[in-house]
Amino acid sequence: IAADISGSVSSPLFEKIEVVGGYLNVFLKKDVVLREVLEEILSSKQHYGDQHAGDGQVATIDMSSPNIAKPFSMGHLRSTVIGNALSLILQKNGYETVKINHLGDWGTQFGKLITAYKKWGSEEAVAAQPIKELLKLYVQFHDEAVNNPALEDEARKWFKLLEDGNEEARALGEGFRDESLKEFSGIYDLMGIEFDSFAGEAFYNDKMQNVVDELKEKNLLIESEGAHVVKLPNFPPCLIMKQDGATLYATRDLAAAFYREQQYKPAKVFYVVGNEQSLHFKQLFSVIEMMGYDWARQLQHVPFGMM
Ligand code: ARG
């Protein structure tokens, strides 16, 4: 059979063909092959080796996602580089990627920050060293609140104002976000990494109600000790709303998943986040599956270890 085939294959790239037992050894003309490959690399440049499996479909990558007014951690750095590498690989395979920085810019701590800033902060100090100064204010708040519990009430009041869209609260919150982002941008610029969206947790404040309503309609929202949870077949219940009606990290991720599904129609959805959040993502994907959405199967957590 080998001898048979050897007579019917030929190419200008072949130097010779040898039949050895059951094998057919093809020797390439190294100078010709080398020239052809190098010429192709030089002419197609960064497109050399492009694959088309993705066929122009969209892949979203939730990556980096540091928290406003807090230091950028080693975990955020890992998420940034792994997410970026994943994005380049996907692009090479013909996917259109959307790199999303899901900033941690929401939560009751913003009420505390606003309170502390109004009492002890200054615009100049924050602008000069945003993270250091905001962290200092946050620590000071906790130190002073030990002897002055009224501060906690004030912080709650400010967070409520923030939730309700009060102008001053919003402006302050956005100011902290912008200043922190300036500092984070220094790191991104250094690495040459860009994002397509900075829609963080705050962005979903007005988009959670729809999801909560749908959970209710589908009889998935269950009251448990005053809180609202979704019971899951394989994991602990997913907490959606606390006793006081406050939403959680998971509620915002749920709203974000629906928003992105509608906005980008992605074929693949990646979350590049440390493995300490594995349970959170299992619960999140499980809730979406229980709501009856097929696209829950496209969601993938890309975990990494802690340093
Ligand atoms: N801000 C979070 C943290 O620092 C990470 C967010 C990851 N992305 C997400 N969609 N939950 O832990």
Side-chain angles (χ1 to χ4, degrees):
I1 294 169
D4 250 16
I5 296 173
S6 80
S8 55
V9 288
S10 72
S11 158
L13 296 179
F14 296 170
E15 196 173 82
K16 58 175 178 177
I17 298 178
E18 271 177 4
V19 177
V20 183
Y23 293 95
L24 200 61
N25 289 338
V26 172
F27 294 79
L28 299 175
K29 285 183 189 152
K30 295 199 182 69
D31 55 341
V32 179
V33 172
L34 201 61
R35 171 169 296 278
E36 287 208 354
V37 171
L38 289 178
E39 272 171 0
E40 199 187 330
I41 292 174
L42 289 174
S43 71
S44 40
K45 300 199 172 67
Q46 73 270 29
H47 290 297
Y48 179 76
D50 276 5
Q51 303 291 312
H52 305 285
D55 198 21
Q57 296 178 98
V58 173
T60 62
I61 306 160
D62 184 306
M63 54 184 268
S64 197
S65 313
N67 302 315
I68 296 309
K70 288 195 192 147
F72 194 93
S73 75
M74 189 57 79
H76 298 128
L77 189 62
R78 296 200 73 189
S79 168
T80 309
V81 290
I82 294 169
N84 198 58
L86 190 57
S87 163
L88 292 172
I89 292 168
L90 285 160
Q91 285 172 16
K92 196 78 189 160
N93 282 284
Y95 285 92
E96 193 190 306
T97 62
V98 183
K99 293 190 278 179
I100 306 171
N101 198 327
H102 188 76
L103 292 171
D105 53 4
W106 197 252
T108 48
Q109 74 269 26
F110 284 86
K112 299 178 183 175
L113 261 181
I114 293 176
T115 307
Y117 177 80
K118 285 186 70 81
K119 289 205 184 318
W120 315 298
S122 83
E123 209 176 315
E124 301 75 49
V126 171
Q129 284 183 302
I131 306 294
K132 199 171 163 226
E133 183 61 21
L134 291 171
L135 198 64
K136 198 182 94 187
L137 288 170
Y138 191 63
V139 171
Q140 187 172 358
F141 177 93
H142 282 275
D143 287 346
E144 307 243 354
V146 176
N147 299 317
N148 183 5
L151 280 175
E152 298 279 3
D153 295 328
E154 200 168 332
R156 262 190 291 277
K157 185 199 80 184
W158 275 111
F159 183 62
K160 180 90 180 68
L161 287 170
L162 193 62
E163 279 185 306
D164 297 343
N166 170 274
E167 221 167 283
E168 187 184 0
R170 273 291 155 99
L172 286 168
E174 275 163 26
F176 299 156
R177 182 186 192 272
D178 293 346
E179 291 301 332
S180 302
L181 210 47
K182 269 188 214 157
E183 200 166 320
F184 299 149
S185 297
I187 300 170
Y188 299 141
D189 290 348
L190 216 61
M191 296 192 288
I193 292 178
E194 288 172 355
F195 294 89
D196 300 295
S197 164
F198 284 93
E201 293 188 45
F203 179 75
Y204 300 100
N205 179 44
D206 61 358
K207 297 173 180 64
M208 286 181 285
Q209 195 56 50
N210 280 345
V211 190
V212 173
D213 289 345
E214 188 175 335
L215 284 172
K216 268 187 210 149
E217 277 162 30
K218 294 187 168 163
N219 291 322
L220 292 172
L221 209 58
I222 288 163
E223 215 182 301
S224 162
E225 296 163 38
H228 288 83
V229 305
V230 176
K231 291 229 164 96
L232 304 172
N234 303 314
F235 309 109
C238 182
L239 190 54
I240 300 291
M241 226 164 19
K242 288 198 266 191
Q243 284 89 338
D244 60 2
T247 56
L248 294 110
Y249 180 58
T251 326
R252 287 183 285 285
D253 253 329
L254 204 51
F258 279 90
Y259 176 84
R260 292 171 189 173
E261 170 62 23
Q262 279 158 18
Q263 188 74 9
Y264 305 115
K265 304 259 178 294
K268 288 181 183 292
V269 175
F270 296 100
Y271 293 87
V272 186
V273 187
N275 60 15
E276 70 278 5
Q277 294 193 27
S278 287
L279 178 61
H280 164 74
F281 287 105
K282 282 180 184 147
Q283 291 172 308
L284 178 69
F285 302 166
S286 180
V287 170
I288 296 169
E289 197 184 328
M290 288 189 69
M291 291 171 83
Y293 292 102
D294 283 347
W295 51 267
R297 268 179 277 139
Q298 295 157 6
L299 310 174
Q300 276 185 68
H301 177 208
V302 181
F304 52 83
M306 218 198 284
M307 261 190 206

